[in-house]
Amino acid sequence: MKVGVMNKLRRRKQSNENPADDTKPNGGNLLVNDRNKYKSMWIRTHSTLWMIGAFVLIIYMGHLYICAMVMLIQILMEKELFNLLRKVREDRDLPGFRLLNWHFFFTAMLFVYGRFLSQRLVNTVTSDKVLYRLVSILIKYHMVICYFLYIAGFVWFILSLKKKMYKYQFGQYAWTHMILTVVFTQSSFTVANIFEGMFWFLLPASLIVINDIAAYLFGFFFGKTPLIKLSPKKTWEGFIGASVTTIISAFLLANVMGRFEWLTCPRTDLSTGWLHCDPGPLFKPEYYHLPGYIANWIPWKEIPIMPVQWHALCLGLFASIIAPFGGFFASGFKRAFKIKDFGDSIPGHGGITDRMDCQMVMAVFAYIYHQSFVKSQSLSVESILDQILMNLTFEEQLDLYRKLGEILQQKRFGQH
């Protein structure tokens, strides 16, 4: 009896980390020492090519299809994470409890995307008087609707509490809110980036993919020095090689992507038509004269550089140095729960969450950087009209029109 108690105490004192992993040298886990590395590389390459092909097709189809893709990815990520702490007998002990998690998820989705897309929804239905009034009412009471949906979920949770399951249920409640805060909210910034111009979604996402592939290849062929214990297969050679590759790629890719209106024009509504706009000075090349000692060796005397390429360097720097810590966070999380991957939906890569860890960090940075350093903060005619159409009733808009006409008439006669 005493021996059994001592064994239980030892098990309770053990950390969630696997001690063997901490004492074992990382060198045994490096890709250069992996005997099956070529097989795993082939599987990973094959699935990567399929993902890139599907991604390019969706980019061509347009903004709404990309948003649908992002939402689908979010749903699959939430499913993987909801199942992570789920008990095998939950459906029997707590029937319907899993629906509560999805209730909170779709409430959060309605709130976040309602805030991001409200102006564009108004612009889409302006020509239809009935739809316009309906949408105006929904936007006006959007926050109230979302709040009472959340309160309904809160009451549902309290009423579902079951004796001997309190700890598990409150743990699931906290876990759900952590997922919504850390995973869903961050990934939702991707949609905001899409409508600012597909460039601000595609470039950051591409840089993360490039960094991931370059880190894998440099580590595969040259990796010798372990980088971090949380992710034993990561090496300094892979990290440095990927950083240089990503920063150079950012500068060059920005020049290529900046040439296409489909990628640079912001989408102001929810239509699917082709876009035409003035790209603005950010995407117009400026010519820089090369010094004589360089121009003597190459056939060009000057080179065109778009101003956006300098911004792209900042995105590349973040994607190569800071964004990988999203992956390290996910690695530590998986070690804490003693799992290899969040799922197995992508051969050679793991689950959807395993591919999106760095993308979430990058999406938030790209949005904040664009709003802070790129987007003009001054008022424009379009932004003022959006506010008028969204916040004023039809009668108030007519009244504004009459008063504005009177003011302009007074100014016109005052000048004479």
Side-chain angles (χ1 to χ4, degrees):
M1 182 75 176
K2 187 176 180 180
V3 173
V5 172
M6 292 298 293
N7 287 336
K8 284 183 181 178
L9 288 174
R10 284 194 197 99
R11 283 196 294 271
R12 286 179 185 174
K13 288 179 181 178
Q14 283 179 349
S15 169
N16 283 333
E17 302 287 345
N18 188 353
D21 290 337
D22 293 332
T23 56
K24 188 167 131 183
N26 281 350
N29 294 320
L30 298 179
L31 282 170
V32 290
N33 301 319
D34 189 352
R35 295 180 180 178
N36 296 318
K37 66 177 184 177
Y38 288 104
K39 181 181 178 182
S40 63
M41 183 184 183
W42 166 247
I43 295 172
R44 190 182 179 102
T45 302
H46 190 259
S47 58
T48 298
L49 291 175
W50 272 103
M51 287 191 291
I52 291 174
F55 185 68
V56 170
L57 176 62
I58 293 172
I59 291 293
Y60 175 77
M61 292 171 72
H63 299 70
L64 286 183
Y65 293 94
I66 302 172
C67 289
M69 176 193 71
V70 172
M71 292 177 187
L72 177 62
I73 288 172
Q74 287 179 322
I75 291 171
L76 294 175
M77 287 171 62
E78 303 305 312
K79 182 181 178 182
E80 289 177 354
L81 293 169
F82 284 155
N83 289 336
L84 195 59
L85 294 184
R86 186 179 183 182
K87 280 187 176 180
V88 178
R89 297 166 55 186
E90 180 190 299
D91 291 332
R92 191 190 72 179
D93 296 336
L94 297 168
F97 187 72
R98 187 56 46 185
L99 290 174
L100 185 59
N101 290 342
W102 289 108
H103 172 82
F104 284 123
F105 171 75
F106 286 111
T107 299
M109 182 176 278
L110 177 64
F111 177 76
V112 171
Y113 289 132
R115 302 285 287 183
F116 279 152
L117 303 179
S118 57
Q119 278 192 351
R120 291 167 178 88
L121 183 58
V122 168
N123 294 342
T124 306
V125 301
T126 303
S127 58
D128 190 310
K129 192 173 181 180
V130 177
L131 272 179
Y132 172 75
R133 286 187 175 179
L134 177 61
V135 168
S136 298
I137 292 170
L138 290 175
I139 290 174
K140 183 177 181 180
Y141 298 107
H142 168 254
M143 191 172 291
V144 174
I145 293 169
C146 292
Y147 175 74
F148 278 104
L149 281 173
Y150 178 83
I151 288 298
F154 177 73
V155 173
W156 180 2
F157 169 74
I158 298 299
L159 295 177
S160 70
L161 289 173
K162 191 174 180 181
K163 194 175 181 180
K164 296 183 180 180
M165 299 291 289
Y166 294 154
K167 186 176 181 180
Y168 173 75
Q169 287 179 279
F170 276 100
Q172 286 289 306
Y173 185 80
W175 175 240
T176 300
H177 284 69
M178 192 277 284
I179 292 172
L180 294 178
T181 302
V182 176
V183 178
F184 174 76
T185 305
Q186 287 193 89
S187 56
S188 298
F189 281 92
T190 304
V191 173
N193 293 336
I194 291 168
F195 284 93
E196 293 293 348
M198 228 185 295
F199 177 94
W200 300 103
F201 156 73
L202 186 57
L203 180 64
S206 300
L207 294 180
I208 293 297
V209 174
I210 290 169
N211 185 262
D212 186 50
I213 293 173
Y216 180 80
L217 291 175
F218 277 97
F220 186 89
F221 291 107
F222 309 110
K224 297 289 185 183
T225 313
L227 175 62
I228 187 170
K229 282 187 176 182
L230 284 174
S231 193
K233 291 186 178 182
K234 297 288 193 300
T235 62
W236 274 106
E237 291 80 3
F239 183 78
I240 294 170
S243 297
V244 174
T245 304
T246 304
I247 292 170
I248 294 173
S249 299
F251 191 77
L252 299 177
L253 270 177
N255 186 283
V256 175
M257 293 181 183
R259 299 168 187 263
F260 299 95
E261 287 186 358
W262 181 239
L263 300 179
T264 58
C265 292
R267 172 71 75 181
T268 57
D269 55 25
L270 299 180
S271 64
T272 56
W274 201 257
L275 286 171
H276 297 285
C277 69
D278 179 6
L282 203 61
F283 295 98
K284 292 178 180 177
E286 298 175 351
Y287 290 87
Y288 292 84
H289 292 278
L290 296 173
Y293 61 88
I294 296 178
N296 291 334
W297 294 92
I298 58 176
W300 304 288
K301 304 299 180 185
E302 56 182 17
I303 56 171
I305 297 177
M306 296 179 183
V308 76
Q309 288 180 260
W310 304 119
H311 292 292
L313 287 178
C314 297
L315 295 176
L317 194 64
F318 187 91
S320 58
I321 301 205
I322 305 299
F325 280 85
F328 300 152
F329 176 86
S331 296
F333 191 88
K334 288 184 283 188
R335 284 169 65 83
F337 286 92
K338 298 181 181 179
I339 57 173
K340 183 182 178 184
D341 295 309
F342 287 104
D344 56 1
S345 52
I346 309 175
H349 293 269
I352 298 292
T353 311
D354 293 285
R355 289 298 90 214
M356 294 295 115
D357 43 18
C358 300
Q359 292 284 6
M360 291 185 294
V361 178
M362 190 68 200
V364 178
F365 175 75
Y367 177 80
I368 293 173
Y369 184 89
H370 179 269
Q371 296 294 316
S372 302
F373 302 108
V374 178
K375 188 174 183 179
S376 174
Q377 301 300 320
S378 59
L379 292 174
S380 64
V381 174
E382 290 78 11
S383 64
I384 294 172
L385 281 175
D386 285 341
Q387 292 296 319
I388 291 171
L389 293 173
M390 187 169 63
N391 297 309
L392 299 183
T393 63
F394 183 72
E395 290 73 18
E396 289 171 334
Q397 291 172 22
L398 285 175
D399 188 39
L400 176 65
Y401 173 76
R402 284 192 294 268
K403 289 182 178 178
L404 186 60
E406 292 172 3
I407 292 171
L408 292 176
Q409 286 286 348
Q410 291 172 2
K411 283 190 173 182
R412 181 180 177 184
F413 290 119
Q415 290 176 353
H416 294 291

